[in-house]
Structure formats: structure tokens, C-alpha cells
Amino acid sequence: MGGGNGLKVGIIQLAIDDKENKQERLSRVGSIIDGLGGVDLIVLPELWNVGFFAFDDYKSSSEDLKGETISFLSSKAAEIGSYIFTGSLIERRGDQYFNLCALLDRKGAVLGTYRKMHLFGYGSAEGKLLTSGDDITVVSTEFGKVGMCICYDLRFPELYRKMVDKGAEFIINCSAWPYPRVEHWTLLNQARAVESLAYIISCGCAGASKGVPFIGRSMVIDPWGTVVCSAAERETVLKVDIDPKMVKSVRDEFPALRDRKITF
């Protein structure tokens, strides 16, 4: 890990701009990553390379795991020696399309992938265009076990509980959360941290896609539910140093997970 016992996290709250093409956005993200020296984990938002509401571009922008976006981020991870949570992209698998994110290790290898389970249907065509994922993903890293989820998943605590049951100590959420539901976003992030007794690391988009503005509000919540850091609505990079050992100490002190009784 980085200096001392802390995990140094860099959250890239990227502004989406419909005038920017995929190659321009990849280049811009690469420049931001280059400026994050000494960070252990870099986190990107949901569908940042296309824009969540650019539904007409989903299929044309789709890739597989060896495609342009993952390959580019893999090379960056190896170059700077950082884990990279890729944010999500439209994955093409045969005649199906998924909202997929991945975690890359320090050498750029894919540690794990997650396909969005809960597709957004409220004012959105995501549920019509994409296929829902079925698998819960928790991967082991040098700083602990990491669960992965995407945006709307935040509203479904069962998924988070199952990640915790698989050992998750950190849960990363990439998002393209639109206005006006700012209060929902903050409340749900804190609730998931408190319920899970885990760190929640959430990266949201800034800017707008097809005229729909995003709230940004990227944040890190500790296992007590305390907001460690948060952003406003504009493009920014959050850098924070968190203590991985805090998860065990909180769970030892406050044994809510051990006290669970499943009666149904």
C-alpha cells in the first residue's frame, strides 16, 4: 500500500460533456490519472466513456474486456502501480449488453468484474437496452476484500448484505446519479455503510448527459457511517487516506453483524 498503514484513494468525479468523444475523454482521464502519483486505488464513475443517458450510443460504444477502455486503464494501472476501479462501460457479450465495471490490480490484470444487477427504469431506457447481471462480486486485495456495485444498486440493501456475507470490507459504487435526488444519495450511502460496517467508496459523474445533470457528490463513508470526505457537483478529484484496519476494529467493538438472526 501507500505510505504508512493507510490506503490512499483517488476518486475521479469526471464531468460528462456530450461534445467530447470517447477518445478525447479517455485522453483526459489519462491525464488526470497521471497526476495522481502515490495513490493506491483510483476510482472512476458510471458509464463515463459514453454518458449514462446517451442511450442511442450504447451499442456503438460497447466493448468487451479486451476493448479500448479496459486496455487503456490496464496500461495506466501498470504504469503507475495503482489499483484502478474502472467505473463502468457498456459490455458486449454476443447479442447481449451489460453495464459492467472491473477492478484492476497494480499490474493491470483484471481481478474481478461486476455486471449491474438492478437496471434503472425510472425515466431511463437502461432496463430496455441492457441485460441484468446475476453474480455478486467480492475480490481479495492487499488491503482487504472489495465488493463492487453500480449506482441504482445502492437502493437494494440485500445486495450489500450478500457482499458482506462474502467478506466485503470495502464496497465501491460507481454512479451517474441524476438530479434532483441528492438527499437520497447521501442517506443511502450512509445507511449502506452503517448496515455493512464497511467503508463505502462512491464515485459519481459531474456534468450532464443528453441534458440531464448529474449530482456529483462523490464520497467516502467509514464503517461508523461518518462522511470522511465528499465533493460538490463539479468535476474534481477527491484524495483521501483511510485506515483499512478500522473495519475489523469497528466490527469487533459493535457486533451487529454477529448478532443477526435470520428467521425467514
Side-chain angles (χ1 to χ4, degrees):
M1 292 182 294
N5 295 318
L7 169 66
K8 298 183 183 299
V9 181
I11 300 175
I12 301 175
Q13 181 170 290
L14 192 72
I16 306 304
D17 181 349
D18 291 335
K19 297 178 181 178
E20 191 176 46
N21 63 39
K22 180 191 278 190
Q23 287 68 37
E24 290 170 336
R25 198 165 296 157
L26 284 172
S27 177
R28 187 158 65 88
V29 165
S31 296
I32 296 171
I33 290 174
D34 289 341
L36 288 174
V39 170
D40 297 300
L41 171 65
I42 294 169
V43 183
L44 285 157
E46 180 182 19
L47 296 185
W48 57 271
N49 69 354
V50 59
F52 180 84
F53 291 96
F55 303 120
D56 291 342
D57 299 327
Y58 273 19
K59 290 186 178 181
S60 62
S61 70
S62 63
E63 308 175 21
D64 59 25
L65 285 174
K66 296 182 180 179
E68 182 179 17
T69 301
I70 298 293
S71 296
F72 175 76
L73 294 176
S74 177
S75 67
K76 284 295 179 185
E79 180 182 327
I80 66 173
S82 298
Y83 288 87
I84 295 181
F85 183 80
T86 63
S88 73
L89 54 92
I90 301 297
E91 181 202 24
R92 181 180 63 254
R93 297 178 73 194
D95 60 355
Q96 291 184 313
Y97 297 85
F98 298 86
N99 188 340
L100 170 134
C101 59
L103 182 64
L104 311 177
D105 69 14
R106 295 185 189 272
K107 296 182 179 179
V110 176
L111 280 179
T113 59
Y114 168 75
R115 294 171 179 88
K116 189 176 184 180
M117 194 172 292
H118 302 98
L119 301 179
F120 194 52
Y122 181 78
S124 164
E126 184 187 30
K128 297 177 181 178
L129 297 172
L130 305 184
T131 299
S132 174
D134 295 318
D135 297 325
I136 296 165
T137 302
V138 175
V139 299
S140 296
T141 72
E142 67 197 72
F143 51 84
K145 291 192 174 182
V146 177
M148 301 159 62
C149 58
I150 301 174
C151 201
Y152 192 41
D153 287 329
L154 189 64
R155 292 185 179 273
F156 301 90
E158 319 88 81
L159 171 59
Y160 284 71
R161 182 64 79 200
K162 288 183 179 295
M163 285 191 279
V164 170
D165 287 344
K166 287 177 171 285
E169 299 161 284
F170 303 81
I171 298 174
I172 307 177
N173 176 23
C174 60
S175 178
W177 200 275
Y179 275 103
R181 293 175 292 279
V182 178
E183 292 82 3
H184 295 198
W185 167 258
T186 303
L187 174 64
L188 290 168
N189 270 285
Q190 289 187 276
R192 299 295 87 85
V194 169
E195 292 167 351
S196 304
L197 297 178
Y199 276 105
I200 303 295
I201 301 171
S202 288
C203 179
C205 292
S209 173
K210 300 303 178 182
V212 181
F214 299 117
I215 69 168
R217 299 322 198 273
S218 298
M219 60 180 64
V220 174
I221 315 292
D222 76 13
W224 284 122
T226 302
V227 178
V228 177
C229 66
S230 62
E233 73 278 2
R234 296 184 179 182
E235 177 168 301
T236 190
V237 175
L238 287 178
K239 295 179 74 173
V240 60
D241 196 342
I242 60 179
D243 180 9
K245 295 179 182 178
M246 185 179 183
V247 178
K248 183 179 186 305
S249 66
V250 170
R251 289 177 179 180
D252 287 345
E253 179 180 346
F254 190 76
L257 294 176
R258 295 198 302 273
D259 291 342
R260 291 167 60 202
K261 290 186 178 181
I262 308 301
T263 59
F264 51 89

